[in-house]
Amino acid sequence: MICTPIIQRGNVIGVLNTYRQERHEPDQAELSLLGVAARMAGVAIETVRIAESQRAAAKDLRTMSEQLQIQNAHLSKVSWVQGRLIEELSPSNPTVIARIAQIVADGLECSIAVCNATGRLLAGVGPPEETERMASVAARAAVLTRLRYELMVHLHGCTCIRIGQVGSLLGALVLKPSIDAAPKFATVIATHAAAVLAALLLSERADRALDDYARPAVLLGVCHGLYLRSVLSDAAAVLGVSTDARVRVAQVDLGSEEAANKRARQVLQMRSVGWPALAAVAEGCSIIVLLDASYAANPPSRPWDADAAIAIGVSAVVCGLGELPLARNQARVAASLSRSLGT
């Protein structure tokens, strides 16, 4: 029996056990394959956990909406705010948190601060000095502890509302003046906004999980031929491409595993200098990069400082994810030639 730990974010979350009928000493290739399988299992477990959190946040959002429908007082203002908040549920909009804060401030005529789970200010509406003070209230350890289990905390003329579920704090929505003695509609608007913000932050967390864990693990598995052609459509969905996409594979050799792990997470930086990177994963001291076929033979610049990459090898264009193992081998050979030629 071989026991391979399943690790996510530095923690062991399970064990992948494999058995054989006869005694067998695994070689390094088998151990590497089991390591890849364990990483993919870890990604699957993490993805399920995030999906469950998103479903719970969506349920909370639906509950808030149902409560809004039965409110009689100030119905027109509540409806206006609700409509605007729903419009802002767009993960592709980088200013969506600030716009939600502005909607709530307009609806309640107050100052707003949106903070993350540590109390850092993400967006504010009102005088900068005031929103900073509001964020400092939310950043207090006692307030953060209470918000994990209480929906609202009224303190120093402010109301802090939990963003997230009980026991799972994603952030805080801070209002000034406090709505402790305000009409009921103010509480409905504020808690509805907090539910929208929770859905948004969970969505962003899921996107980061895809970039940091799912896409790298799937890319590594496809390049090693671990996916049957019948399930390549699932891998394509995670990578954000079609199964018959025209792509290239690049291998970037670096000086250490630490450098490879660090730079494999810099997909956005690669795109900013002209590399049409779709996903990247570290493998030893190298990075495997999935490139769109629009990559030119001579890129406008390297994706890192000139001294960072020891060698870069790029495959020919291949059609479909099923051809990635071939492209991976081409990139490996090209990088080896680049090293031997000193280019």
Side-chain angles (χ1 to χ4, degrees):
M1 179 177 71
I2 303 173
C3 300
T4 306
I6 300 174
I7 301 174
Q8 278 291 303
R9 301 181 181 178
N11 298 317
V12 177
I13 62 172
V15 178
L16 175 64
N17 295 327
T18 53
Y19 304 86
R20 295 180 69 98
Q21 292 182 344
E22 300 176 358
R23 182 177 179 82
H24 173 72
E25 290 294 332
D27 56 27
Q28 189 58 44
E30 291 173 322
L31 293 175
S32 297
L33 185 61
L34 289 173
V36 171
R39 287 176 63 184
M40 295 176 68
V43 169
I45 294 171
E46 181 70 10
T47 301
V48 169
R49 289 177 176 174
I50 290 174
E52 290 176 348
S53 296
Q54 285 183 303
R55 283 194 292 270
K59 182 179 179 181
D60 288 344
L61 186 57
R62 287 193 297 270
T63 300
M64 291 295 103
S65 296
E66 291 170 359
Q67 292 177 353
L68 280 172
Q69 293 175 5
I70 63 174
Q71 297 298 317
N72 295 319
H74 306 281
L75 183 59
S76 60
K77 181 173 285 189
V78 171
S79 298
W80 176 82
V81 171
Q82 181 190 26
R84 293 288 302 280
L85 289 174
I86 295 300
E87 290 175 2
E88 295 304 326
L89 276 175
S90 172
S92 62
N93 189 340
T95 64
V96 64
I97 294 178
R99 292 174 62 178
I100 288 175
Q102 186 65 61
I103 290 169
V104 178
D106 292 344
L108 299 181
E109 299 179 357
C110 64
S111 296
I112 297 291
V114 180
C115 306
N116 67 4
T118 63
R120 181 173 63 85
L121 184 65
L122 301 178
V125 180
E129 300 82 0
E130 183 171 64
T131 55
E132 288 290 347
R133 287 195 296 270
M134 294 163 65
S136 68
V137 172
R140 297 182 181 186
V143 174
L144 294 174
T145 300
R146 289 181 60 185
L147 283 176
R148 287 188 178 276
Y149 303 101
E150 300 177 31
L151 179 60
M152 292 187 190
V153 174
H154 305 286
L155 188 68
H156 297 299
C158 300
T159 294
C160 301
I161 301 175
R162 182 182 65 239
I163 298 174
Q165 302 175 67
V166 175
S168 179
L169 182 65
L170 298 174
L173 175 63
V174 188
L175 300 86
K176 188 174 182 179
S178 172
I179 61 171
D180 188 17
K184 180 68 174 178
F185 86 96
T187 300
V188 174
I189 287 176
T191 53
H192 185 68
V196 172
L197 287 167
L200 174 66
L201 293 177
L202 277 173
S203 177
E204 291 179 349
R205 179 181 290 183
D207 289 342
R208 287 195 298 270
L210 276 175
D211 288 333
D212 292 344
Y213 302 103
R215 289 192 181 105
V218 169
L219 175 59
L220 191 62
V222 175
C223 285
H224 281 281
L226 298 181
Y227 282 83
L228 298 175
R229 289 188 178 271
S230 59
V231 295
L232 278 179
S233 58
D234 295 331
V238 174
L239 293 172
V241 299
S242 62
T243 54
D244 58 352
R246 290 169 51 82
V247 294
R248 297 176 187 263
V249 172
Q251 175 173 310
V252 182
D253 295 337
L254 297 160
S256 66
E257 291 187 10
E258 181 181 1
N261 286 321
K262 177 181 178 181
R263 288 176 170 82
R265 296 176 179 267
Q266 298 177 346
V267 174
L268 291 178
Q269 289 91 324
M270 296 182 204
R271 295 171 185 164
S272 69
V273 295
W275 275 47
L278 301 172
V281 60
E283 186 176 32
C285 297
S286 301
I287 302 173
I288 302 172
V289 185
L290 181 65
L291 299 170
D292 184 83
S294 61
Y295 171 84
N298 295 309
S301 61
R302 292 192 177 206
W304 308 282
D305 296 336
D307 295 334
I310 298 173
I312 299 177
V314 182
S315 75
V317 175
V318 295
C319 297
L321 297 187
E323 302 301 318
L324 286 196
L326 172 62
R328 171 75 182 94
N329 287 332
Q330 291 179 356
R332 182 188 294 114
V333 172
S336 178
L337 288 174
S338 176
R339 282 196 304 274
S340 63
L341 296 175
T343 58

